[in-house]
Amino acid sequence: MSLFKGNSHFHERFGPYFLLFLIVSLFCVFSIRLWYLQVYRGEYFSQKAQDNLQRRQPIYAPRGLFLDRNGELLAVNEPSYSLALIREDCPDIPSTLDQISKWTGIPSEEIHGEFQRGRSMVRSFENQIIVSNLTFDTLTRVETEAPHWPGVKVVVQPRRKYLQGEILSHVLGYVARANEEELKADPDLRLGDNVGKQGLEFTLERILRGSRGLRRMEVDASGRVLHQEVLVKPQSGQNVQLSIDLGMQSKAYELMQGRSGSVVVLEADTGQILAMVSAPGYDNNKFVFGLSHARWQELLNNPHHPLQNRSIQSTYPPGSVFKLVMAGMAHMDPDIRESDRVFCPGSFRLGNRVFRCWKGHGWVDMTKSLVESCDVYYYQLGDRLGVDRISEFAIKSGFGRLTGIDLPHERAGLIPTREWKRQRFNEGWRGGDNLNLSIGQGFTLVTPLQTARFVAALINDGHLYKPSLLLGEDQVDPLPLPWSKAARDFVYQTMIETVEGERGTARRLRKPGVVVGGKTGTAQVVRLLPEHMEDDVEAVEYWLRHHGWMAGFAHAGDQKYAIVALVEHGGSGSAAAGPVVRGMIDYIFDETQEKGQ
């Protein structure tokens, strides 16, 4: 009993204090919570409430257009429809993503993965693009069923369309959805944006993209738009007019059908590129729509490498085209005269090795050596001049270094030196290397664009211009061709003789009323056995056939062009590349004249 009475006394004495303590504690807890919500996180929740009521959405800016030099459209924009999700409006995200998978036919794992990858890149109440480029059938189904799936939106974006597809694929490149690295590197990009990946789309990305606008919308509790206004107008990207002549480009691509290689046409006095074709091409529109894995693998595994821009990214032995450089150098040597003769029996012996010519030419002087493309003359010339002088002169003539064209991934090619060979093979330079170098074989590698730029310099008073794809771009400080005027005049006249002479190797380029000069080149891929030297091209396995070059110029009046064609595994330069250059000359001086251009 005493114990019970004692507890009763305790409750009577301390009960009110306990109750007071409890009330004060609850008051403190609620006060702290209120301070946390109103003060510490007040701005955050205020912004959330505003976002729930007033949302801001980007307005996509149209990308700048591409036009050719005559104003023909090359790349335009068209509306495309993307499927987006607003997380805050979506009560059941996993089920919604599964539904998106059913609508689009894309595996659910990919849809969930895409959502997880992109969610950290999108702010609250913003559209997160899940699937781009909806087909019409999918769009129709989504529009019909989306009202039953809160948070699902259809977003309209501009989409690139390349009107000529393969014909200009290597020049224009393509745009595709920005990847995570690009999004992190560029704060102006948003999830779902397209960016230039290749070609001019890549190098001119900044001026083509424009700037995004901003729209503010008032919505109700279910996310329906009640009112909207444009806060910032989008700024379209800048249109770009190219130096490319679409007709000339199309003709070059037509002439290369069934072949792998490159055609380059330069305006000699400006360095402007009128046509630059790499064959085969690819349809750059496929990348905009989103290339399937199977199609991507098909392109990668194609033995003719359609994604390769052969004009600037592929390097080839120049073959006899390099004799132009050798002749120009020899012409400037005070100890060598044009009239000096060399006897060509069809081969040249150096030590124990025999270096062959494609036929026995008899007595050959400098002019005949170019016109009939005698190897023995240049073997002896190379043996006499040596690698140090030849390499220095060739590099100053524009080979073995980048041209500076505004396209990505250009390759410099190679003009070998003693030091290069020592570092590359840990070997010294040998006499046979001189001979191979002198006829454009061995280690020597050039691009078709370098060759066209060199030919242009021969006929424009010796200016190595930066090849330009932008119409009217100012040329600043072109590099000087290290040739005397006499050397240029000699090679110029000899190239004409190569076309007009009865024994010239470029006779198929003759065209009345047009001054045409040319130089053929047949570049060995592998050394054929002597018994196969006279075989027809078709009798040799494709991948073992020689590459065919034709480097030429044509002018009439004020029109002056450098035209170069390279046909991979085409056989001789005259038979493989000659018809391509001839076709371009016919087009330039016949069809464009008829059109009054």
Side-chain angles (χ1 to χ4, degrees):
M1 287 297 288
S2 60
L3 181 60
F4 176 75
K5 286 180 180 178
N7 283 343
S8 175
H9 176 71
F10 178 83
H11 281 289
E12 289 175 359
R13 185 175 179 180
F14 293 102
Y17 292 108
F18 179 73
L19 183 60
L20 179 62
F21 172 76
L22 190 62
I23 292 172
V24 170
S25 297
L26 287 173
F27 178 79
C28 289
V29 169
F30 282 117
S31 296
I32 292 172
R33 182 62 178 168
L34 183 64
W35 173 84
Y36 175 79
L37 295 176
Q38 292 290 327
V39 180
Y40 187 74
R41 299 295 304 276
E43 186 176 347
Y44 169 76
F45 287 111
S46 175
Q47 185 60 48
K48 292 275 286 184
Q50 285 295 317
D51 288 344
N52 199 24
L53 177 65
Q54 294 184 350
R55 300 178 183 180
R56 298 187 175 198
Q57 296 291 351
I59 306 173
Y60 294 97
R63 200 171 175 84
L65 308 179
F66 280 120
L67 304 94
D68 87 333
R69 65 188 300 113
N70 301 310
E72 293 282 342
L73 282 170
L74 307 176
V76 298
N77 303 302
E78 61 181 13
S80 73
Y81 301 92
S82 301
L83 200 158
L85 190 68
I86 299 177
R87 296 193 299 271
E88 289 74 11
D89 289 341
C90 185
D92 187 350
I93 291 177
S95 296
T96 305
L97 294 177
D98 289 340
Q99 183 59 39
I100 292 174
S101 170
K102 293 177 183 176
W103 283 330
T104 59
I106 299 173
S108 181
E109 296 76 19
E110 288 187 27
I111 297 292
H112 282 262
E114 184 67 24
F115 172 75
Q116 293 300 333
R117 278 193 296 275
R119 63 178 305 163
S120 63
M121 304 174 194
V122 179
R123 288 181 292 189
S124 300
F125 296 101
E126 278 192 354
N127 294 324
Q128 179 182 346
I129 304 293
I130 305 295
V131 180
S132 301
N133 297 314
L134 298 178
T135 64
F136 180 76
D137 290 341
T138 304
L139 174 65
T140 304
R141 189 175 175 190
V142 172
E143 290 282 23
T144 304
E145 301 181 18
H148 304 295
W149 294 90
V152 173
K153 302 289 181 187
V154 172
V155 179
V156 181
Q157 294 177 289
R159 180 177 61 196
R160 205 54 147 171
K161 184 174 184 180
Y162 303 102
L163 300 177
Q164 288 76 32
E166 292 187 1
I167 293 173
L168 277 159
S169 54
H170 295 99
V171 173
L172 299 183
Y174 57 85
V175 298
R177 196 166 172 178
N179 58 35
E180 291 182 36
E181 290 182 0
E182 290 161 336
L183 290 169
K184 290 176 182 175
D186 190 339
D188 292 336
L189 288 176
R190 306 283 285 276
L191 189 66
D193 282 354
N194 281 339
V195 294
K197 300 281 188 176
Q198 287 291 339
L200 289 173
E201 292 278 25
F202 174 80
T203 53
L204 302 180
E205 168 66 23
R206 284 292 177 184
I207 64 173
L208 288 169
R209 184 192 301 172
S211 61
R212 186 186 291 105
L214 187 63
R215 177 188 292 114
R216 182 171 63 192
M217 300 179 297
E218 290 182 10
V219 299
D220 61 13
S222 62
R224 288 179 299 184
V225 178
L226 303 176
H227 174 73
Q228 60 179 316
E229 62 176 328
V230 175
L231 298 180
V232 180
K233 291 183 178 178
Q235 297 294 320
S236 301
Q238 183 179 326
N239 294 343
V240 176
Q241 190 161 18
L242 304 185
S243 58
I244 291 288
D245 181 303
L246 179 57
M248 218 177 284
Q249 180 82 7
S250 301
K251 184 64 181 181
Y253 196 75
E254 175 191 326
L255 291 166
M256 289 298 291
Q257 288 303 293
R259 299 179 168 100
S260 296
S262 167
V263 181
V264 178
V265 181
L266 286 181
E267 199 172 63
D269 287 333
T270 64
Q272 298 262 292
I273 297 174
L274 299 170
M276 189 168 73
V277 159
S278 177
Y282 62 93
D283 187 353
N284 38 8
N285 290 295
K286 301 287 187 187
F287 287 85
V288 181
F289 281 84
L291 206 62
S292 67
H293 179 73
R295 178 57 181 154
W296 174 245
Q297 288 300 316
E298 184 183 334
L299 286 170
L300 285 183
N301 297 327
N302 187 323
H304 294 279
H305 305 294
L307 297 177
Q308 182 93 353
N309 185 345
R310 287 171 162 81
S311 302
I312 63 168
Q313 295 173 345
S314 296
T315 57
Y316 308 88
S320 294
V321 172
F322 196 73
K323 291 171 183 172
L324 297 172
V325 178
M326 295 293 295
M329 183 179 179
H331 196 276
M332 293 169 61
D333 191 314
D335 296 328
I336 300 174
R337 294 176 297 180
E338 292 176 31
S339 56
D340 288 347
R341 296 197 303 167
V342 166
F343 185 76
C344 170
S347 63
F348 178 77
R349 177 177 291 277
L350 181 70
N352 294 326
R353 287 190 61 186
V354 175
F355 292 80
R356 298 184 180 279
C357 187
W358 64 283
K359 73 171 188 177
H361 292 88
W363 288 102
V364 179
D365 60 13
M366 194 180 292
T367 299
K368 184 178 177 181
S369 72
L370 275 181
V371 171
E372 299 188 25
S373 201
C374 172
D375 289 346
V376 168
Y377 182 92
Y378 290 95
Y379 289 149
Q380 297 197 28
L381 204 56
D383 192 43
R384 181 173 177 177
L385 295 174
V387 60
D388 299 329
R389 292 178 62 188
I390 297 173
S391 296
E392 181 183 2
F393 191 77
I395 292 171
K396 288 182 177 178
S397 296
F399 297 103
R401 57 183 177 182
L402 301 177
T403 67
I405 187 174
D406 293 321
L407 287 177
H409 315 308
E410 181 187 15
R411 294 185 64 185
L414 176 66
I415 298 297
T417 63
R418 293 180 193 275
E419 185 59 24
W420 171 84
K421 189 180 179 188
R422 190 175 296 112
Q423 291 185 0
R424 179 68 176 79
F425 298 106
N426 196 28
E427 291 180 1
W429 191 264
R430 297 175 180 170
D433 295 329
N434 279 341
L435 274 55
N436 284 328
L437 173 61
S438 66
I439 61 166
Q441 290 286 168
F443 307 115
T444 313
L445 296 170
V446 305
T447 67
L449 182 63
Q450 285 174 338
T451 308
R453 180 192 189 209
F454 165 71
V455 172
L458 289 177
I459 58 175
N460 71 7
D461 294 330
H463 302 300
L464 284 167
Y465 288 115
K466 168 195 165 191
S468 175
L469 285 162
L470 306 181
L471 185 64
E473 183 181 28
D474 292 334
Q475 289 283 357
V476 180
D477 300 329
L479 296 172
L481 196 68
W483 292 38
S484 66
K485 184 176 185 307
R488 289 201 315 272
D489 288 345
F490 167 76
V491 170
Y492 170 82
Q493 290 296 337
T494 308
M495 289 177 74
I496 294 175
E497 179 67 15
T498 305
V499 173
E500 299 294 339
E502 289 306 313
R503 294 181 178 274
T505 55
R507 296 188 300 277
R508 67 174 66 235
L509 300 188
R510 290 175 187 169
K511 184 169 183 62
V514 181
V515 178
V516 180
K519 182 72 193 84
T520 55
T522 303
Q524 284 186 341
V525 177
V526 296
R527 183 182 300 171
L528 296 178
L529 296 173
E531 57 267 31
H532 296 302
M533 295 292 285
E534 302 300 326
D535 285 351
D536 292 335
V537 173
E538 290 74 16
V540 180
E541 184 183 342
Y542 175 82
W543 300 107
L544 303 181
R545 298 173 190 170
H546 303 325
H547 297 322
W549 282 95
M550 179 66 81
F553 60 78
H555 64 89
D558 295 334
Q559 295 177 292
K560 202 182 296 182
Y561 306 97
I563 308 169
V564 169
L566 176 281
V567 178
E568 287 183 3
H569 307 291
S572 74
S574 176
V580 177
V581 173
R582 174 56 196 260
M584 293 307 301
I585 293 173
D586 287 343
Y587 178 86
I588 293 170
F589 292 98
D590 293 343
E591 298 189 37
T592 57
Q593 296 295 332
E594 292 174 5
K595 295 176 183 176
Q597 296 178 14

